[in-house]
Amino acid sequence: MPNQTILVTGANGEIGHGLIQYLAEQDGTKIVALDLHPLDETIQRKCHRMVIGDILDNGVLETLFSAHDFDTIFHLAALLSTRAERQPPLAHRVNVDGTLNLLEVAVTQSRLQGREIKFIYPSSIAVYGLPNLHIKQDAGKIKENAWTESRTMYGINKLYCEQLGRYYANFYRQLDVEVTKGRVDFRCLRFPGLISADTLPTGGTSDYAPEMLHHAAQDKPYACFVREDTRIPFMAMPDAITALLSLDSAAREKLSSHVYNVGAFNPSAGEIYGRIRRAFRDAAVTFSPDAKRQAIVDSWPGDVDDSAARADWGWQPAYDFERAFAEYLIPAVTRRYESPSGN
Ligand code: AKB
């Protein structure tokens, strides 16, 4: 995607870090980063512009969109599932109102200029809600339109925003007398839990996997807040970035949906611990489930059916469970904590 102007919201978050590192290597790409907090030095210097501001502040968004003609928006800003459960109205404001604000400025810009703006939106396995463990086990790989009765504020926010995106892409102001050219090309991925060697997530409920790894690499004990047999899908961060970029560059006529599952591997918490212990022999993990967070993870699928993504735009993760740990996570996390700055 050479010579594009790209907006990344929530730029300082986990996905933002990985995405900006990659985008910065593309010739001529101008990255405009928006976050509530100043960006880490490592990614700040890769951006054309950094704006410290809130997606809930229409003034900030209007100023941003009057200064730049965006080709693509990666809307990553969100409050994750555990945090959202603690502050539901705030989660609704950030996750839903924030997304609506961005869709609105995006569609306004696209209509004024008579062109399309791509809107890439990470959703989550949190949109699913399996009622109990028996059903979860029997359900196997879940398709996009099954079991979407989430029990979390975050999952419900994401599910609704998927629908908002579909509306903005296809039906926005459908009663207007004049048909205005220009639209939002909304494309969404439902991510599993993500594991990065460079950053730790904050406020999620799949955080036990990355937390276990980062604690072990620092020789710190870790009390895992879910049972050993807990199973949900995960993905290594490089594959998450690949998924976003592949969906972004897919030809629109190939896309049969606005929303796609993407999967990679689905180990139990005990299997994750076993793999970590092969690399860090002294890793000290105890399992002390927190019943409430456990119930959330138990309601998420054990695996997802991502055949639509594979068929439509060639989704294929590079990292399975073994390769993710052997070739990416263990070496990178070891380097990270060996270096004096911890970076
Ligand atoms: C969370 O735990 O909230 C996120 C997610 C599964 O979307 N990592």
Side-chain angles (χ1 to χ4, degrees):
M1 55 179 91
N3 301 319
Q4 297 231 337
T5 304
I6 293 179
L7 174 63
V8 181
T9 74
N12 218 9
E14 277 220 288
I15 304 178
H17 273 81
L19 183 66
I20 288 173
Q21 311 267 16
Y22 180 88
L23 290 175
E25 286 161 17
Q26 310 306 302
D27 272 353
T29 298
K30 264 205 260 178
I31 306 167
V32 178
L34 175 63
D35 202 286
L36 277 178
H37 306 289
L39 295 195
D40 292 351
E41 180 52 32
T42 44
I43 49 171
Q44 193 176 326
R45 56 173 180 263
K46 306 199 166 182
C47 296
H48 166 73
R49 185 173 169 206
M50 175 187 81
V51 176
I52 300 171
D54 194 336
I55 50 170
L56 294 176
D57 184 337
N58 286 319
V60 168
L61 296 186
E62 274 156 29
T63 310
L64 205 55
F65 277 73
S66 59
H68 301 279
D69 295 338
F70 292 112
D71 298 290
T72 303
I73 298 163
F74 288 93
H75 174 35
L76 311 179
L79 251 61
L80 298 185
S81 54
T82 290
R83 172 115 194 261
E85 234 30 66
R86 298 201 164 119
Q87 294 172 288
L90 176 65
H92 195 279
R93 282 200 294 280
V94 174
N95 295 347
V96 176
D97 298 346
T99 303
L100 181 73
N101 287 351
L102 265 165
L103 282 165
E104 191 59 36
V105 279
V107 83
T108 304
Q109 182 165 91
S110 70
R111 285 160 72 104
L112 278 173
Q113 298 180 348
R115 68 190 180 97
E116 288 199 343
I117 297 182
K118 271 191 218 158
F119 197 102
I120 312 293
Y121 181 67
S123 182
S124 161
I125 51 163
V127 301
Y128 298 109
L130 282 305
N132 60 54
L133 280 177
H134 290 299
I135 293 182
K136 171 168 170 161
Q137 237 156 30
D138 288 350
K141 293 184 175 212
I142 303 281
K143 275 198 182 299
E144 283 85 349
N145 53 7
W147 299 109
T148 50
E149 289 202 0
S150 175
R151 62 181 283 156
T152 64
M153 186 62 171
Y154 170 69
I156 291 166
N157 294 164
K158 287 285 181 189
L159 193 62
Y160 175 61
C161 287
E162 293 177 358
Q163 296 296 318
L164 267 185
R166 192 176 58 82
Y167 168 77
Y168 270 79
N170 299 321
F171 306 112
Y172 182 74
R173 296 186 67 115
Q174 57 195 296
L175 298 182
D176 282 3
V177 176
E178 275 184 38
V179 179
T180 313
K181 266 181 75 187
R183 71 196 271 282
V184 171
D185 180 358
F186 180 83
R187 302 175 179 202
C188 165
L189 289 169
R190 286 186 187 157
F191 276 133
L194 300 179
I195 318 182
S196 167
D198 301 322
T199 47
L200 268 164
T202 42
T205 320
S206 62
D207 295 5
Y208 60 89
E211 285 175 356
M212 216 188 278
L213 172 70
H214 284 255
H215 276 72
Q218 296 173 84
D219 222 356
K220 291 183 181 163
Y222 181 67
C224 180
F225 58 82
V226 296
R227 293 183 317 269
E228 266 188 273
D229 68 350
T230 305
R231 191 179 295 279
I232 57 167
F234 281 99
M235 182 180 287
M237 190 56 81
D239 269 338
I241 306 306
T242 304
L244 285 167
L245 297 169
S246 308
L247 182 60
D248 176 30
S249 59
R252 185 142 63 81
E253 57 281 8
K254 298 253 182 209
L255 303 181
S256 59
S257 172
H258 288 285
V259 178
Y260 290 94
N261 280 340
V262 279
F265 47 87
N266 68 330
S268 69
E271 286 163 355
I272 296 173
Y273 177 36
R275 183 61 192 84
I276 290 174
R277 214 170 26 186
R278 271 172 51 203
F280 303 106
R281 281 160 182 254
D282 298 330
V285 174
T286 47
F287 288 87
S288 9
D290 167 328
K292 292 177 179 161
R293 291 180 95 188
Q294 179 75 59
I296 290 178
V297 183
D298 283 345
S299 76
W300 292 348
D303 205 355
V304 287
D305 179 334
D306 60 4
S307 52
R310 288 175 191 256
D312 285 6
W313 46 275
W315 165 242
Q316 176 73 56
Y319 294 96
D320 62 14
F321 181 48
E322 182 49 34
R323 186 158 179 236
F325 276 84
E327 294 182 28
Y328 163 59
L329 292 167
I330 303 285
V333 88
T334 305
R335 275 196 304 277
R336 178 190 156 99
Y337 292 112
E338 266 169 10
S339 79
S341 65
N343 286 315

